[in-house]
Amino acid sequence: MDFVIAPPAQPSVAVAGSDARFPVRRIFCVGRNYAAHAREMGGDEREPPFFFSKPADAVVESGASIPYPPDTTDLHHEIELVVAVGRGGSDIPVEAALDNVWGYAAGIDLTRRDLQAAAKKAGKPWDLAKGFDRSAPISPIRPAAGAHPGAGRIWLAVDGAMRQEGDLRDMIWSVAETLAALSRSVILQPGDLVFTGTPEGVGPVARGQTLTGGVDGVGEIRVRIDG
Ligand code: MN
């Protein structure tokens, strides 16, 4: 096929223990999925799951240095369990939803918190607060192979100082419930990534600082924010 401009490269993520890579189709993110973080953001912990998205090419490899993004003075870290979807579908029942998971990773939902706060106040979309270039650092994906983490420590440190520490068991909506809910709104597709929300302790990261984080048994991520 002829294209009028060069087609974009396929975004992808490394796979733990393999040279093959996971192709990324879309990135969905769950808002406020840990009660203590919902409260620190001024929300109600009982509200149903809601979703926003990032471009597929926002993924960044662990180990990378990334420039401090433009248009913000309040870049925040949010460490999250990421679900890599291997099989798609719509109206997926909760009981069968984990069969659609290919693997798991640890990711950071980088957020331009000042833009998000202004958008919330004005009732405007979050897109550019969340879905900017290089806003989705992610560890290599660990194949699930039938093992789905329902509990385990999730953490993030800035320059070695612990900022976020939680447990997957404190998620308000489980991975299965999240995928089922998302599949009622869009046709879930192979290659989709789902960031499943962050525990409390979100905060700013400054130029020159290094973020390290992980989900026990799943993976670890390290990125440096350049000046
Ligand atoms: Mn988030």
Side-chain angles (χ1 to χ4, degrees):
M1 186 182 297
D2 283 339
F3 293 102
V4 296
I5 58 171
Q10 170 64 57
S12 66
V13 176
V15 170
S18 172
D19 290 334
R21 297 179 66 83
F22 184 89
V24 182
R25 187 175 190 276
R26 295 174 293 188
I27 303 175
F28 295 102
C29 307
V30 186
R32 295 177 190 156
N33 201 23
Y34 291 75
H37 173 63
R39 287 193 295 272
E40 81 180 349
M41 299 305 288
D44 176 347
E45 64 191 68
R46 293 180 307 281
E47 66 184 31
F50 68 96
F51 298 92
F52 57 90
S53 58
K54 296 174 184 269
D57 64 1
V59 291
V60 174
E61 297 275 345
S62 183
S65 288
I66 61 180
Y68 194 92
D71 205 21
T72 185
T73 56
D74 196 21
L75 179 67
H76 271 213
H77 54 76
E78 298 188 356
I79 185 74
E80 313 206 355
L81 173 70
V82 181
V83 180
V85 174
R87 197 172 74 189
S90 55
D91 296 320
I92 300 168
V94 172
E95 312 78 60
L98 294 181
D99 295 341
N100 297 68
V101 176
W102 191 86
Y104 295 93
I108 303 174
D109 168 15
L110 286 176
T111 301
R112 296 193 282 207
R113 194 69 77 198
D114 42 1
L115 294 192
Q116 186 194 29
K120 281 182 181 174
K121 197 172 173 186
K124 290 178 177 172
W126 291 10
D127 295 45
L128 294 187
K130 289 290 196 176
F132 53 97
D133 296 329
R134 307 183 187 92
S135 57
I138 182 169
S139 75
I141 296 170
R142 184 182 61 79
H148 301 277
R153 193 172 74 110
I154 176 169
W155 61 275
L156 180 137
V158 179
D159 283 348
M162 201 61 73
R163 293 279 188 86
Q164 293 188 262
E165 240 183 329
D167 195 290
L168 300 182
R169 69 166 59 89
D170 294 327
M171 290 200 293
I172 296 169
W173 302 97
S174 70
V175 168
E177 290 169 331
T178 296
L179 295 180
L182 185 56
S183 79
R184 290 194 292 272
S185 192
V186 298
I187 304 171
L188 210 56
Q189 298 282 1
D192 289 341
L193 296 179
V194 183
F195 280 61
T196 59
T198 196
E200 72 270 26
V202 301
V205 52
R207 289 175 169 81
Q209 290 188 316
T210 296
L211 300 173
T212 52
V215 178
D216 286 0
V218 170
E220 293 197 0
I221 171 100
R222 163 186 290 265
V223 288
R224 182 187 144 87
I225 308 295
D226 281 339

